[in-house]
Amino acid sequence: MDKAQQDALKKAAGIEAAKLIEPGMIAGLGTGSTVRFFVDELGRRVQEEGLTFTGVTTSVRTKEQAEGYGITIVDVDDVDHIDVTVDGADEVDKDFNGIKGGGAALLWEKIVATNSSKIVWIVDESKVVDTIGAFPLPVEVIPFGAGHVVKLFESKGYKPVLRLDADGQAVRTDEKNYVVDLHLERIEHPEELAQDLITTVGVVEHGLFLNMVNTVIVGDPNGPRILTNSNK
Ligand SMILES: O=C(CO)[C@H](O)[C@H](O)COP(=O)(O)O
């Protein structure tokens, strides 16, 4: 699949997900290239159909995009609930275990997701996998002592790589933390790994989102496909 085809599938999933946002809702807006299409469609609905809703964003990038369309964005602590959050994902398996954080927004994404009544992911079909882990697992780490966390991960065989930007500088999240990507290839026991990561001093959050999502909208050449998580 070339990039144009992949973008077409992402866009189709984004447009489908935008139908879920109803007037008066509080909606979580995720981060990434697929979510960009979703927010573009919401912006169109706001401007052409007069849709009004309140958004809570998972990154500064998405906030800026949404506000550019005149969408009202408030802080996550200024709402008492979030009706639905639509976000992207880097991988998802048949048990609805996923990896997120390719765009370094995993911490805010997990906070918004945790406080949402319903979570919807929008992905192109390449993200649906048998076993997660081919996509490097992002882990958000506090800069102080990050070198020791990386060494610990190395000793555990997690194959950590500090994420760098195009200038060779450590990528900083919206919370100014680092991202360490674990090149695990296959994650056979995601629950155990999640427990190990979250109890490592210096780790703020990891990109394993295990059985959190309710619905996955998959951009498919035959039209968007809906996967429903019956264990939620
Ligand atoms: O988790 C994320 C950002 O932290 C994104 O949702 C994930 O990386 C998918 O991005 P894209 O839609 O660009 O493939």
Side-chain angles (χ1 to χ4, degrees), residues 86-125:
V86 175
D87 205 344
D90 299 301
E91 284 184 341
V92 58
D93 71 13
K94 63 176 182 346
D95 296 321
F96 294 88
N97 292 330
I99 288 181
K100 285 184 49 54
L106 63 147
L107 176 59
W108 288 13
E109 288 173 336
K110 200 172 273 188
I111 291 170
V112 170
T114 303
N115 289 289
S116 299
S117 305
K118 185 174 181 196
I119 302 169
V120 177
W121 286 350
I122 47 178
V123 298
D124 66 83
E125 58 177 356

PDB file of all heavy atoms in Angstrom, residues 86-125:
ATOM      1  N   VAL A  86     -12.075   9.808  20.289  1.00  0.00           N
ATOM      2  CA  VAL A  86     -11.654   9.191  19.028  1.00  0.00           C
ATOM      3  C   VAL A  86     -10.153   9.436  18.876  1.00  0.00           C
ATOM      4  O   VAL A  86      -9.688  10.572  18.945  1.00  0.00           O
ATOM      5  CB  VAL A  86     -12.429   9.783  17.833  1.00  0.00           C
ATOM      6  CG1 VAL A  86     -11.892   9.222  16.523  1.00  0.00           C
ATOM      7  CG2 VAL A  86     -13.927   9.505  17.973  1.00  0.00           C
ATOM      8  N   ASP A  87      -9.409   8.356  18.708  1.00  0.00           N
ATOM      9  CA  ASP A  87      -7.952   8.463  18.632  1.00  0.00           C
ATOM     10  C   ASP A  87      -7.423   7.482  17.582  1.00  0.00           C
ATOM     11  O   ASP A  87      -8.148   6.578  17.146  1.00  0.00           O
ATOM     12  CB  ASP A  87      -7.342   8.158  20.016  1.00  0.00           C
ATOM     13  CG  ASP A  87      -5.987   8.811  20.209  1.00  0.00           C
ATOM     14  OD1 ASP A  87      -5.368   9.242  19.219  1.00  0.00           O
ATOM     15  OD2 ASP A  87      -5.534   8.886  21.381  1.00  0.00           O
ATOM     16  N   GLY A  88      -6.184   7.636  17.227  1.00  0.00           N
ATOM     17  CA  GLY A  88      -5.527   6.682  16.338  1.00  0.00           C
ATOM     18  C   GLY A  88      -4.854   5.591  17.158  1.00  0.00           C
ATOM     19  O   GLY A  88      -4.957   5.562  18.383  1.00  0.00           O
ATOM     20  N   ALA A  89      -4.170   4.694  16.481  1.00  0.00           N
ATOM     21  CA  ALA A  89      -3.391   3.653  17.165  1.00  0.00           C
ATOM     22  C   ALA A  89      -2.292   3.200  16.206  1.00  0.00           C
ATOM     23  O   ALA A  89      -2.418   3.345  14.984  1.00  0.00           O
ATOM     24  CB  ALA A  89      -4.278   2.475  17.563  1.00  0.00           C
ATOM     25  N   ASP A  90      -1.243   2.657  16.780  1.00  0.00           N
ATOM     26  CA  ASP A  90      -0.132   2.157  15.952  1.00  0.00           C
ATOM     27  C   ASP A  90      -0.307   0.683  15.616  1.00  0.00           C
ATOM     28  O   ASP A  90       0.114   0.235  14.549  1.00  0.00           O
ATOM     29  CB  ASP A  90       1.192   2.412  16.676  1.00  0.00           C
ATOM     30  CG  ASP A  90       1.399   3.897  16.889  1.00  0.00           C
ATOM     31  OD1 ASP A  90       1.427   4.627  15.883  1.00  0.00           O
ATOM     32  OD2 ASP A  90       1.480   4.331  18.048  1.00  0.00           O
ATOM     33  N   GLU A  91      -0.902  -0.064  16.516  1.00  0.00           N
ATOM     34  CA  GLU A  91      -1.232  -1.482  16.274  1.00  0.00           C
ATOM     35  C   GLU A  91      -2.423  -1.846  17.157  1.00  0.00           C
ATOM     36  O   GLU A  91      -2.583  -1.308  18.244  1.00  0.00           O
ATOM     37  CB  GLU A  91      -0.065  -2.411  16.665  1.00  0.00           C
ATOM     38  CG  GLU A  91       1.092  -2.442  15.695  1.00  0.00           C
ATOM     39  CD  GLU A  91       2.174  -3.441  16.082  1.00  0.00           C
ATOM     40  OE1 GLU A  91       2.231  -3.860  17.263  1.00  0.00           O
ATOM     41  OE2 GLU A  91       2.968  -3.781  15.220  1.00  0.00           O
ATOM     42  N   VAL A  92      -3.210  -2.796  16.686  1.00  0.00           N
ATOM     43  CA  VAL A  92      -4.270  -3.368  17.539  1.00  0.00           C
ATOM     44  C   VAL A  92      -4.437  -4.835  17.153  1.00  0.00           C
ATOM     45  O   VAL A  92      -4.379  -5.186  15.973  1.00  0.00           O
ATOM     46  CB  VAL A  92      -5.592  -2.570  17.424  1.00  0.00           C
ATOM     47  CG1 VAL A  92      -6.107  -2.498  15.999  1.00  0.00           C
ATOM     48  CG2 VAL A  92      -6.653  -3.135  18.371  1.00  0.00           C
ATOM     49  N   ASP A  93      -4.612  -5.695  18.176  1.00  0.00           N
ATOM     50  CA  ASP A  93      -4.783  -7.130  17.883  1.00  0.00           C
ATOM     51  C   ASP A  93      -6.238  -7.554  18.107  1.00  0.00           C
ATOM     52  O   ASP A  93      -7.086  -6.734  18.466  1.00  0.00           O
ATOM     53  CB  ASP A  93      -3.785  -7.973  18.698  1.00  0.00           C
ATOM     54  CG  ASP A  93      -4.104  -8.022  20.192  1.00  0.00           C
ATOM     55  OD1 ASP A  93      -5.224  -7.616  20.596  1.00  0.00           O
ATOM     56  OD2 ASP A  93      -3.236  -8.471  20.965  1.00  0.00           O
ATOM     57  N   LYS A  94      -6.510  -8.840  17.931  1.00  0.00           N
ATOM     58  CA  LYS A  94      -7.907  -9.316  17.977  1.00  0.00           C
ATOM     59  C   LYS A  94      -8.494  -9.244  19.385  1.00  0.00           C
ATOM     60  O   LYS A  94      -9.714  -9.280  19.559  1.00  0.00           O
ATOM     61  CB  LYS A  94      -8.003 -10.738  17.416  1.00  0.00           C
ATOM     62  CG  LYS A  94      -7.233 -11.763  18.228  1.00  0.00           C
ATOM     63  CD  LYS A  94      -7.451 -13.153  17.688  1.00  0.00           C
ATOM     64  CE  LYS A  94      -6.743 -14.228  18.490  1.00  0.00           C
ATOM     65  NZ  LYS A  94      -5.714 -13.861  19.455  1.00  0.00           N
ATOM     66  N   ASP A  95      -7.631  -9.146  20.411  1.00  0.00           N
ATOM     67  CA  ASP A  95      -8.108  -8.995  21.792  1.00  0.00           C
ATOM     68  C   ASP A  95      -8.258  -7.527  22.180  1.00  0.00           C
ATOM     69  O   ASP A  95      -8.441  -7.209  23.355  1.00  0.00           O
ATOM     70  CB  ASP A  95      -7.145  -9.688  22.761  1.00  0.00           C
ATOM     71  CG  ASP A  95      -7.093 -11.193  22.523  1.00  0.00           C
ATOM     72  OD1 ASP A  95      -8.161 -11.764  22.252  1.00  0.00           O
ATOM     73  OD2 ASP A  95      -5.994 -11.765  22.594  1.00  0.00           O
ATOM     74  N   PHE A  96      -8.136  -6.660  21.205  1.00  0.00           N
ATOM     75  CA  PHE A  96      -8.264  -5.220  21.416  1.00  0.00           C
ATOM     76  C   PHE A  96      -7.163  -4.670  22.326  1.00  0.00           C
ATOM     77  O   PHE A  96      -7.366  -3.720  23.059  1.00  0.00           O
ATOM     78  CB  PHE A  96      -9.667  -4.856  21.917  1.00  0.00           C
ATOM     79  CG  PHE A  96     -10.726  -5.132  20.878  1.00  0.00           C
ATOM     80  CD1 PHE A  96     -11.328  -6.388  20.800  1.00  0.00           C
ATOM     81  CD2 PHE A  96     -11.071  -4.162  19.947  1.00  0.00           C
ATOM     82  CE1 PHE A  96     -12.271  -6.663  19.817  1.00  0.00           C
ATOM     83  CE2 PHE A  96     -12.013  -4.430  18.959  1.00  0.00           C
ATOM     84  CZ  PHE A  96     -12.618  -5.681  18.901  1.00  0.00           C
ATOM     85  N   ASN A  97      -5.995  -5.341  22.274  1.00  0.00           N
ATOM     86  CA  ASN A  97      -4.800  -4.793  22.899  1.00  0.00           C
ATOM     87  C   ASN A  97      -4.060  -3.983  21.848  1.00  0.00           C
ATOM     88  O   ASN A  97      -3.898  -4.451  20.710  1.00  0.00           O
ATOM     89  CB  ASN A  97      -3.897  -5.911  23.426  1.00  0.00           C
ATOM     90  CG  ASN A  97      -4.529  -6.633  24.600  1.00  0.00           C
ATOM     91  OD1 ASN A  97      -5.295  -6.023  25.362  1.00  0.00           O
ATOM     92  ND2 ASN A  97      -4.231  -7.900  24.753  1.00  0.00           N
ATOM     93  N   GLY A  98      -3.635  -2.787  22.225  1.00  0.00           N
ATOM     94  CA  GLY A  98      -3.018  -1.923  21.226  1.00  0.00           C
ATOM     95  C   GLY A  98      -1.763  -1.252  21.709  1.00  0.00           C
ATOM     96  O   GLY A  98      -1.447  -1.240  22.909  1.00  0.00           O
ATOM     97  N   ILE A  99      -1.028  -0.726  20.735  1.00  0.00           N
ATOM     98  CA  ILE A  99       0.130   0.134  21.011  1.00  0.00           C
ATOM     99  C   ILE A  99      -0.215   1.515  20.500  1.00  0.00           C
ATOM    100  O   ILE A  99      -0.718   1.675  19.389  1.00  0.00           O
ATOM    101  CB  ILE A  99       1.399  -0.397  20.300  1.00  0.00           C
ATOM    102  CG1 ILE A  99       1.889  -1.672  20.985  1.00  0.00           C
ATOM    103  CG2 ILE A  99       2.496   0.675  20.284  1.00  0.00           C
ATOM    104  CD1 ILE A  99       3.154  -2.261  20.382  1.00  0.00           C
ATOM    105  N   LYS A 100       0.062   2.522  21.346  1.00  0.00           N
ATOM    106  CA  LYS A 100      -0.102   3.914  20.961  1.00  0.00           C
ATOM    107  C   LYS A 100       1.141   4.693  21.385  1.00  0.00           C
ATOM    108  O   LYS A 100       1.922   4.216  22.188  1.00  0.00           O
ATOM    109  CB  LYS A 100      -1.343   4.514  21.634  1.00  0.00           C
ATOM    110  CG  LYS A 100      -2.632   4.028  20.983  1.00  0.00           C
ATOM    111  CD  LYS A 100      -3.861   4.679  21.559  1.00  0.00           C
ATOM    112  CE  LYS A 100      -3.788   6.170  21.648  1.00  0.00           C
ATOM    113  NZ  LYS A 100      -3.457   6.838  20.366  1.00  0.00           N
ATOM    114  N   GLY A 101       1.274   5.893  20.832  1.00  0.00           N
ATOM    115  CA  GLY A 101       2.387   6.752  21.236  1.00  0.00           C
ATOM    116  C   GLY A 101       3.384   7.020  20.135  1.00  0.00           C
ATOM    117  O   GLY A 101       4.404   7.667  20.369  1.00  0.00           O
ATOM    118  N   GLY A 102       3.063   6.532  18.920  1.00  0.00           N
ATOM    119  CA  GLY A 102       3.944   6.817  17.785  1.00  0.00           C
ATOM    120  C   GLY A 102       4.139   8.315  17.594  1.00  0.00           C
ATOM    121  O   GLY A 102       5.171   8.756  17.100  1.00  0.00           O
ATOM    122  N   GLY A 103       3.141   9.081  17.998  1.00  0.00           N
ATOM    123  CA  GLY A 103       3.231  10.536  17.886  1.00  0.00           C
ATOM    124  C   GLY A 103       3.612  11.192  19.194  1.00  0.00           C
ATOM    125  O   GLY A 103       3.457  12.411  19.360  1.00  0.00           O
ATOM    126  N   ALA A 104       4.103  10.389  20.148  1.00  0.00           N
ATOM    127  CA  ALA A 104       4.619  10.884  21.434  1.00  0.00           C
ATOM    128  C   ALA A 104       3.551  11.514  22.331  1.00  0.00           C
ATOM    129  O   ALA A 104       3.884  12.279  23.242  1.00  0.00           O
ATOM    130  CB  ALA A 104       5.777  11.862  21.215  1.00  0.00           C
ATOM    131  N   ALA A 105       2.285  11.187  22.086  1.00  0.00           N
ATOM    132  CA  ALA A 105       1.218  11.801  22.884  1.00  0.00           C
ATOM    133  C   ALA A 105       0.582  10.791  23.852  1.00  0.00           C
ATOM    134  O   ALA A 105      -0.499  11.022  24.383  1.00  0.00           O
ATOM    135  CB  ALA A 105       0.151  12.381  21.959  1.00  0.00           C
ATOM    136  N   LEU A 106       1.273   9.676  24.121  1.00  0.00           N
ATOM    137  CA  LEU A 106       0.638   8.564  24.844  1.00  0.00           C
ATOM    138  C   LEU A 106       0.131   8.916  26.235  1.00  0.00           C
ATOM    139  O   LEU A 106      -0.891   8.403  26.672  1.00  0.00           O
ATOM    140  CB  LEU A 106       1.597   7.370  24.927  1.00  0.00           C
ATOM    141  CG  LEU A 106       2.904   7.574  25.692  1.00  0.00           C
ATOM    142  CD1 LEU A 106       3.323   6.289  26.368  1.00  0.00           C
ATOM    143  CD2 LEU A 106       3.993   8.029  24.756  1.00  0.00           C
ATOM    144  N   LEU A 107       0.835   9.802  26.942  1.00  0.00           N
ATOM    145  CA  LEU A 107       0.427  10.105  28.320  1.00  0.00           C
ATOM    146  C   LEU A 107      -0.912  10.837  28.339  1.00  0.00           C
ATOM    147  O   LEU A 107      -1.852  10.408  29.014  1.00  0.00           O
ATOM    148  CB  LEU A 107       1.516  10.928  29.018  1.00  0.00           C
ATOM    149  CG  LEU A 107       1.185  11.408  30.433  1.00  0.00           C
ATOM    150  CD1 LEU A 107       0.886  10.237  31.358  1.00  0.00           C
ATOM    151  CD2 LEU A 107       2.330  12.248  30.987  1.00  0.00           C
ATOM    152  N   TRP A 108      -1.000  11.920  27.601  1.00  0.00           N
ATOM    153  CA  TRP A 108      -2.274  12.650  27.566  1.00  0.00           C
ATOM    154  C   TRP A 108      -3.361  11.776  26.942  1.00  0.00           C
ATOM    155  O   TRP A 108      -4.526  11.818  27.346  1.00  0.00           O
ATOM    156  CB  TRP A 108      -2.125  13.962  26.783  1.00  0.00           C
ATOM    157  CG  TRP A 108      -1.338  15.025  27.489  1.00  0.00           C
ATOM    158  CD1 TRP A 108      -0.554  14.860  28.610  1.00  0.00           C
ATOM    159  CD2 TRP A 108      -1.236  16.412  27.141  1.00  0.00           C
ATOM    160  NE1 TRP A 108       0.018  16.052  28.953  1.00  0.00           N
ATOM    161  CE2 TRP A 108      -0.375  17.022  28.080  1.00  0.00           C
ATOM    162  CE3 TRP A 108      -1.771  17.190  26.120  1.00  0.00           C
ATOM    163  CZ2 TRP A 108      -0.053  18.384  28.026  1.00  0.00           C
ATOM    164  CZ3 TRP A 108      -1.458  18.540  26.060  1.00  0.00           C
ATOM    165  CH2 TRP A 108      -0.614  19.129  27.002  1.00  0.00           C
ATOM    166  N   GLU A 109      -2.974  10.974  25.949  1.00  0.00           N
ATOM    167  CA  GLU A 109      -3.959  10.079  25.319  1.00  0.00           C
ATOM    168  C   GLU A 109      -4.521   9.088  26.336  1.00  0.00           C
ATOM    169  O   GLU A 109      -5.725   8.810  26.356  1.00  0.00           O
ATOM    170  CB  GLU A 109      -3.318   9.322  24.149  1.00  0.00           C
ATOM    171  CG  GLU A 109      -3.045  10.219  22.947  1.00  0.00           C
ATOM    172  CD  GLU A 109      -2.266   9.548  21.834  1.00  0.00           C
ATOM    173  OE1 GLU A 109      -1.543   8.570  22.089  1.00  0.00           O
ATOM    174  OE2 GLU A 109      -2.368  10.022  20.705  1.00  0.00           O
ATOM    175  N   LYS A 110      -3.639   8.574  27.192  1.00  0.00           N
ATOM    176  CA  LYS A 110      -4.143   7.584  28.164  1.00  0.00           C
ATOM    177  C   LYS A 110      -4.991   8.255  29.234  1.00  0.00           C
ATOM    178  O   LYS A 110      -6.002   7.710  29.685  1.00  0.00           O
ATOM    179  CB  LYS A 110      -2.999   6.776  28.785  1.00  0.00           C
ATOM    180  CG  LYS A 110      -3.497   5.474  29.395  1.00  0.00           C
ATOM    181  CD  LYS A 110      -2.397   4.551  29.851  1.00  0.00           C
ATOM    182  CE  LYS A 110      -1.893   3.649  28.765  1.00  0.00           C
ATOM    183  NZ  LYS A 110      -0.953   2.613  29.261  1.00  0.00           N
ATOM    184  N   ILE A 111      -4.626   9.473  29.623  1.00  0.00           N
ATOM    185  CA  ILE A 111      -5.427  10.193  30.629  1.00  0.00           C
ATOM    186  C   ILE A 111      -6.822  10.496  30.065  1.00  0.00           C
ATOM    187  O   ILE A 111      -7.840  10.256  30.730  1.00  0.00           O
ATOM    188  CB  ILE A 111      -4.700  11.481  31.079  1.00  0.00           C
ATOM    189  CG1 ILE A 111      -3.455  11.104  31.886  1.00  0.00           C
ATOM    190  CG2 ILE A 111      -5.636  12.376  31.901  1.00  0.00           C
ATOM    191  CD1 ILE A 111      -2.516  12.258  32.178  1.00  0.00           C
ATOM    192  N   VAL A 112      -6.863  10.982  28.850  1.00  0.00           N
ATOM    193  CA  VAL A 112      -8.176  11.309  28.245  1.00  0.00           C
ATOM    194  C   VAL A 112      -8.980  10.023  28.036  1.00  0.00           C
ATOM    195  O   VAL A 112     -10.179   9.957  28.356  1.00  0.00           O
ATOM    196  CB  VAL A 112      -7.983  12.094  26.922  1.00  0.00           C
ATOM    197  CG1 VAL A 112      -9.304  12.219  26.159  1.00  0.00           C
ATOM    198  CG2 VAL A 112      -7.423  13.485  27.224  1.00  0.00           C
ATOM    199  N   ALA A 113      -8.326   8.970  27.564  1.00  0.00           N
ATOM    200  CA  ALA A 113      -9.032   7.699  27.333  1.00  0.00           C
ATOM    201  C   ALA A 113      -9.602   7.143  28.635  1.00  0.00           C
ATOM    202  O   ALA A 113     -10.756   6.692  28.692  1.00  0.00           O
ATOM    203  CB  ALA A 113      -8.085   6.686  26.698  1.00  0.00           C
ATOM    204  N   THR A 114      -8.793   7.188  29.690  1.00  0.00           N
ATOM    205  CA  THR A 114      -9.216   6.634  30.980  1.00  0.00           C
ATOM    206  C   THR A 114     -10.462   7.341  31.509  1.00  0.00           C
ATOM    207  O   THR A 114     -11.246   6.752  32.247  1.00  0.00           O
ATOM    208  CB  THR A 114      -8.052   6.761  31.993  1.00  0.00           C
ATOM    209  OG1 THR A 114      -6.928   6.083  31.449  1.00  0.00           O
ATOM    210  CG2 THR A 114      -8.387   6.168  33.343  1.00  0.00           C
ATOM    211  N   ASN A 115     -10.634   8.595  31.136  1.00  0.00           N
ATOM    212  CA  ASN A 115     -11.765   9.377  31.643  1.00  0.00           C
ATOM    213  C   ASN A 115     -12.912   9.482  30.636  1.00  0.00           C
ATOM    214  O   ASN A 115     -13.785  10.341  30.787  1.00  0.00           O
ATOM    215  CB  ASN A 115     -11.260  10.770  32.054  1.00  0.00           C
ATOM    216  CG  ASN A 115     -10.414  10.676  33.307  1.00  0.00           C
ATOM    217  OD1 ASN A 115     -10.941  10.427  34.398  1.00  0.00           O
ATOM    218  ND2 ASN A 115      -9.105  10.810  33.170  1.00  0.00           N
ATOM    219  N   SER A 116     -12.908   8.595  29.642  1.00  0.00           N
ATOM    220  CA  SER A 116     -13.935   8.637  28.594  1.00  0.00           C
ATOM    221  C   SER A 116     -14.930   7.485  28.755  1.00  0.00           C
ATOM    222  O   SER A 116     -14.536   6.365  29.076  1.00  0.00           O
ATOM    223  CB  SER A 116     -13.283   8.513  27.212  1.00  0.00           C
ATOM    224  OG  SER A 116     -12.401   9.588  27.001  1.00  0.00           O
ATOM    225  N   SER A 117     -16.199   7.784  28.500  1.00  0.00           N
ATOM    226  CA  SER A 117     -17.221   6.736  28.571  1.00  0.00           C
ATOM    227  C   SER A 117     -17.041   5.734  27.439  1.00  0.00           C
ATOM    228  O   SER A 117     -17.322   4.545  27.594  1.00  0.00           O
ATOM    229  CB  SER A 117     -18.619   7.346  28.458  1.00  0.00           C
ATOM    230  OG  SER A 117     -18.788   8.327  29.437  1.00  0.00           O
ATOM    231  N   LYS A 118     -16.583   6.209  26.296  1.00  0.00           N
ATOM    232  CA  LYS A 118     -16.408   5.324  25.144  1.00  0.00           C
ATOM    233  C   LYS A 118     -15.127   5.711  24.406  1.00  0.00           C
ATOM    234  O   LYS A 118     -14.835   6.904  24.254  1.00  0.00           O
ATOM    235  CB  LYS A 118     -17.621   5.467  24.212  1.00  0.00           C
ATOM    236  CG  LYS A 118     -17.600   4.519  23.069  1.00  0.00           C
ATOM    237  CD  LYS A 118     -18.872   4.547  22.229  1.00  0.00           C
ATOM    238  CE  LYS A 118     -18.707   3.506  21.131  1.00  0.00           C
ATOM    239  NZ  LYS A 118     -19.598   3.618  20.048  1.00  0.00           N
ATOM    240  N   ILE A 119     -14.383   4.707  23.972  1.00  0.00           N
ATOM    241  CA  ILE A 119     -13.135   4.954  23.235  1.00  0.00           C
ATOM    242  C   ILE A 119     -13.258   4.324  21.855  1.00  0.00           C
ATOM    243  O   ILE A 119     -13.617   3.139  21.727  1.00  0.00           O
ATOM    244  CB  ILE A 119     -11.923   4.348  23.976  1.00  0.00           C
ATOM    245  CG1 ILE A 119     -11.819   4.921  25.389  1.00  0.00           C
ATOM    246  CG2 ILE A 119     -10.641   4.581  23.188  1.00  0.00           C
ATOM    247  CD1 ILE A 119     -10.820   4.186  26.279  1.00  0.00           C
ATOM    248  N   VAL A 120     -12.968   5.122  20.844  1.00  0.00           N
ATOM    249  CA  VAL A 120     -13.011   4.653  19.457  1.00  0.00           C
ATOM    250  C   VAL A 120     -11.641   4.906  18.836  1.00  0.00           C
ATOM    251  O   VAL A 120     -11.089   5.997  18.988  1.00  0.00           O
ATOM    252  CB  VAL A 120     -14.093   5.428  18.661  1.00  0.00           C
ATOM    253  CG1 VAL A 120     -14.099   5.005  17.197  1.00  0.00           C
ATOM    254  CG2 VAL A 120     -15.466   5.223  19.287  1.00  0.00           C
ATOM    255  N   TRP A 121     -11.096   3.891  18.179  1.00  0.00           N
ATOM    256  CA  TRP A 121      -9.838   4.090  17.447  1.00  0.00           C
ATOM    257  C   TRP A 121     -10.117   4.072  15.960  1.00  0.00           C
ATOM    258  O   TRP A 121     -10.975   3.290  15.486  1.00  0.00           O
ATOM    259  CB  TRP A 121      -8.822   2.983  17.765  1.00  0.00           C
ATOM    260  CG  TRP A 121      -8.205   3.108  19.119  1.00  0.00           C
ATOM    261  CD1 TRP A 121      -8.297   4.159  19.986  1.00  0.00           C
ATOM    262  CD2 TRP A 121      -7.385   2.129  19.766  1.00  0.00           C
ATOM    263  NE1 TRP A 121      -7.577   3.894  21.129  1.00  0.00           N
ATOM    264  CE2 TRP A 121      -7.015   2.668  21.022  1.00  0.00           C
ATOM    265  CE3 TRP A 121      -6.924   0.862  19.410  1.00  0.00           C
ATOM    266  CZ2 TRP A 121      -6.209   1.970  21.920  1.00  0.00           C
ATOM    267  CZ3 TRP A 121      -6.124   0.167  20.302  1.00  0.00           C
ATOM    268  CH2 TRP A 121      -5.767   0.721  21.544  1.00  0.00           C
ATOM    269  N   ILE A 122      -9.408   4.899  15.246  1.00  0.00           N
ATOM    270  CA  ILE A 122      -9.500   4.930  13.794  1.00  0.00           C
ATOM    271  C   ILE A 122      -8.127   4.554  13.227  1.00  0.00           C
ATOM    272  O   ILE A 122      -7.111   5.159  13.582  1.00  0.00           O
ATOM    273  CB  ILE A 122      -9.988   6.305  13.285  1.00  0.00           C
ATOM    274  CG1 ILE A 122      -9.250   7.472  13.959  1.00  0.00           C
ATOM    275  CG2 ILE A 122     -11.479   6.437  13.525  1.00  0.00           C
ATOM    276  CD1 ILE A 122      -9.666   8.854  13.448  1.00  0.00           C
ATOM    277  N   VAL A 123      -8.113   3.535  12.393  1.00  0.00           N
ATOM    278  CA  VAL A 123      -6.844   3.007  11.867  1.00  0.00           C
ATOM    279  C   VAL A 123      -7.027   2.606  10.407  1.00  0.00           C
ATOM    280  O   VAL A 123      -8.155   2.355   9.968  1.00  0.00           O
ATOM    281  CB  VAL A 123      -6.368   1.761  12.663  1.00  0.00           C
ATOM    282  CG1 VAL A 123      -6.089   2.101  14.122  1.00  0.00           C
ATOM    283  CG2 VAL A 123      -7.366   0.614  12.561  1.00  0.00           C
ATOM    284  N   ASP A 124      -5.926   2.527   9.686  1.00  0.00           N
ATOM    285  CA  ASP A 124      -5.996   1.871   8.381  1.00  0.00           C
ATOM    286  C   ASP A 124      -5.711   0.391   8.605  1.00  0.00           C
ATOM    287  O   ASP A 124      -5.222  -0.003   9.664  1.00  0.00           O
ATOM    288  CB  ASP A 124      -5.023   2.506   7.385  1.00  0.00           C
ATOM    289  CG  ASP A 124      -3.585   2.290   7.790  1.00  0.00           C
ATOM    290  OD1 ASP A 124      -3.054   1.207   7.489  1.00  0.00           O
ATOM    291  OD2 ASP A 124      -3.000   3.175   8.446  1.00  0.00           O
ATOM    292  N   GLU A 125      -5.998  -0.429   7.622  1.00  0.00           N
ATOM    293  CA  GLU A 125      -5.967  -1.879   7.833  1.00  0.00           C
ATOM    294  C   GLU A 125      -4.581  -2.413   8.182  1.00  0.00           C
ATOM    295  O   GLU A 125      -4.454  -3.472   8.792  1.00  0.00           O
ATOM    296  CB  GLU A 125      -6.539  -2.618   6.619  1.00  0.00           C
ATOM    297  CG  GLU A 125      -5.803  -2.308   5.340  1.00  0.00           C
ATOM    298  CD  GLU A 125      -6.333  -3.109   4.154  1.00  0.00           C
ATOM    299  OE1 GLU A 125      -7.222  -3.949   4.351  1.00  0.00           O
ATOM    300  OE2 GLU A 125      -5.837  -2.871   3.045  1.00  0.00           O
TER     301      GLU A 125
END
